[in-house]
Amino acid sequence: MRIVLGVGGGIAAYKVASLLRLFTEAGHDVTVIPTEAATRFVGVATWEALSGHPVSNSVFDEVHTVNHVRLGHEAELIIVAPATADLLARAATGQANDLLTNTLLMAGGPVLMAPAMHTEMWRHPATQANVETLRSRGITVLEPATGRLTGADSGPGRLPEPEAIFAAALALAGAPAVPNAPELTTSDERASGAVPAGRPLAGLTVTISAGGTREPLDPVRFLGNRSSGKQGVALAVAAREAGARVRLLAAHMDVPAPDGVEVVRVETALELRKAALHAAADSDVVVMAAAVADFRPADVSGTKIKKRDDSADPVISLVRNPDILRELVEVRDAASRNQLIVGFAAETGDADGDVLEYAAAKLSRKACDLLVVNHVGQDKVFGEDTNEVVILSRSGSEPQEASGSKSDVAAAVIDRISAELSRVVPPA
Ligand code: CTP
């Protein structure tokens, strides 16, 4: 795909070098157009080396090719990252005072803008009005991520991670993240009855994460969990049997990956996050069955941590891992995609509420479409061959219980996914 990557003048421009790599490694042809201010953060030579194309921000370069018209015309997708407050304002008011804004005025294909700025600038009514104007014209403006900003401040205003922008951009352009992926039956074809009997997921791509992440402490030790991966693998088999093209994001598992599915191995939560955002870009359904560590060690020692009689007992500090499920939902919603996202949760009841109350609260917190809830507490789930779940739905349908072998539970979950999909896109 022919892509124009516009880069605004903000410190987050350095992150856009990784975004550029994601596109070029996936086989896309990217022309970078930095603003004048952007080149003060990352130089033209970097963009030229990474894109393999000459880079300019002037309308007076390559005049004989009518560059300021040609680039926007030819681009199948335009991405602007970071979209600064100034760039959003210039785009919203239709200015054409550099090559990037000229190109935006000539855009024939989809345009995605990923803002980054300080929270006050983002929340300013002027910026919000510009964002609204751009959105009303069909431009996708992502919500900025929340977290630490350039100074001591934190809040909404961070550039979303390159993988999230990559996934949202490809979803917007309707392109598969994996080049040469087989043609899928489209929603329209499904709607016209092209779903073979007994294979309700035929023509769909289903990504399933399974197993437990391992968070390294040093070269030989890690923090892990007792997830066996059995339920995730059973889901992959059931989805394959239902006719889906299945991608299994396999963290640590006690069981082998099944045949007939594409396997992506991951170790840590951060690796799983990257793989999940990448895979989600061309998935119709994403099931997060993996047990993702909520925390990882703040420091990973490059050498084995030794015990020493003369020093105090070591203390392990932990930092939060990103919530992958929540991020998948955010990326999907930012790109207004039709994608079904399923979460898993282990819940216990207590004096303040029962399992279902806590699970319903989690479903609305995570904002996924289905939540498969394991009732834990009787040491029944990890590594066992049987399972007992309740499936909750955001669409408001009745909670559904399923129990038996992990294959039985997987079949029930896949049935429920098929039912939800046919509710959205009825197969004729
Ligand atoms: N999950 C995720 N990213 C994380 C943690 C969890 O995507 N960093 C996903 C899991 O794959 C699962 C769901 O979120 O689909 C579980 O949510 P979580 O909040 O971790 O629930 P519990 O494990 O039940 O734990 P807690 O109640 O402590 O939040």
Side-chain angles (χ1 to χ4, degrees):
M1 184 167 37
R2 212 174 278 189
I3 296 175
V4 164
L5 177 58
V7 186
I11 185 78
Y14 80 91
K15 282 194 190 171
V16 178
S18 319
L19 176 63
L20 172 56
R21 281 208 87 123
L22 290 173
F23 283 114
T24 53
E25 277 170 12
H28 300 289
D29 179 20
V30 188
T31 300
V32 181
I33 312 180
T35 62
E36 181 71 41
T39 60
R40 300 179 75 135
F41 293 95
V42 179
V44 165
T46 302
W47 302 123
E48 290 192 337
L50 291 178
S51 70
H53 287 298
V55 167
S56 159
N57 53 37
S58 164
V59 287
F60 298 109
D61 287 338
E62 288 190 64
V63 176
H64 64 287
T65 66
V66 205
N67 220 20
H68 69 291
V69 169
R70 185 180 56 85
L71 288 169
H73 233 206
E74 289 178 356
E76 292 160 87
L77 171 67
I78 300 181
I79 299 143
V80 180
T84 57
D86 173 66
L87 205 40
L88 290 170
R90 288 195 287 136
T93 49
Q95 295 184 42
N97 40 17
D98 60 8
L99 185 59
L100 179 54
T101 44
N102 271 269
T103 303
L104 284 170
L105 283 180
M106 288 304 301
V111 178
L112 178 135
M113 305 184 89
M117 64 198 75
H118 287 278
T119 304
E120 292 81 354
M121 294 169 100
W122 172 249
R123 290 199 174 134
H124 194 285
T127 304
Q128 287 303 308
N130 290 331
V131 168
E132 208 170 297
T133 303
L134 291 165
R135 284 181 177 155
S136 72
R137 292 187 194 135
I139 290 178
T140 300
V141 183
L142 298 181
E143 287 296 315
T146 298
R148 181 79 196 273
L149 301 171
T150 318
D153 51 342
S154 62
R158 272 172 73 89
L159 185 73
E161 291 304 315
E163 292 79 13
I165 302 174
F166 176 72
L170 291 189
L172 181 66
V178 182
N180 308 323
E183 272 296 303
L184 299 178
T185 308
T186 64
S187 305
D188 289 348
E189 284 165 319
R190 288 176 63 79
S192 65
V195 182
R199 292 165 64 80
L201 299 184
L204 299 184
T205 298
V206 177
T207 291
I208 298 169
S209 70
T213 65
R214 289 180 161 185
E215 310 297 322
L217 261 171
D218 69 14
V220 295
R221 304 183 179 95
F222 57 85
L223 297 182
N225 60 63
R226 294 172 58 201
S227 171
S228 64
K230 286 180 183 171
Q231 187 62 76
V233 164
L235 280 161
V237 171
R240 185 196 65 199
E241 297 305 301
R245 166 184 165 217
V246 180
R247 201 180 285 128
L248 182 69
L249 310 180
H252 177 77
M253 309 197 304
D254 296 340
V255 288
D259 290 336
V261 310
E262 197 183 311
V263 181
V264 179
R265 298 271 170 198
V266 296
E267 183 87 6
T268 64
L270 291 181
E271 284 174 21
L272 176 57
R273 172 182 171 278
K274 195 168 175 176
L277 287 168
H278 195 277
D282 73 340
S283 296
D284 301 281
V285 179
V286 182
V287 183
M288 283 296 296
V292 187
D294 286 322
F295 300 94
R296 66 179 184 278
D299 301 303
V300 181
S301 168
T303 53
K304 193 179 162 204
I305 300 167
K306 303 242 187 318
K307 59 178 177 307
R308 291 209 179 84
D309 292 338
D310 56 345
S311 58
D313 292 342
V315 174
I316 300 170
S317 310
L318 300 176
V319 290
R320 272 295 266 276
N321 272 328
D323 187 331
I324 305 168
L325 181 58
R326 182 85 205 121
E327 208 169 333
L328 288 167
V329 171
E330 280 168 13
V331 169
R332 176 197 64 185
D333 292 349
S336 306
R337 282 199 69 198
N338 207 352
Q339 179 182 64
L340 194 85
I341 301 182
V342 184
F344 270 67
E347 283 296 341
T348 52
D350 61 20
D352 294 327
D354 68 13
V355 174
L356 280 187
E357 282 167 349
Y358 284 124
K362 183 168 288 179
L363 176 63
S364 66
R365 228 177 23 249
K366 300 261 182 179
C368 52
D369 303 289
L370 294 176
L371 189 70
V372 182
V373 185
N374 278 310
H375 186 178
V376 291
Q378 309 110 344
D379 203 17
K380 262 185 122 187
V381 178
F382 291 111
E384 295 286 316
D385 290 322
T386 56
N387 205 355
E388 227 179 278
V389 302
V390 179
I391 308 170
L392 300 187
S393 162
R394 286 247 301 168
S395 67
S397 26
E398 282 295 296
Q400 178 191 336
E401 291 185 11
S403 60
S405 69
K406 288 193 171 169
S407 304
D408 295 336
V409 169
V413 172
I414 294 297
D415 275 355
R416 189 55 192 270
I417 288 173
S418 311
E420 292 283 323
L421 286 172
S422 58
R423 207 177 45 78
V424 181
V425 185

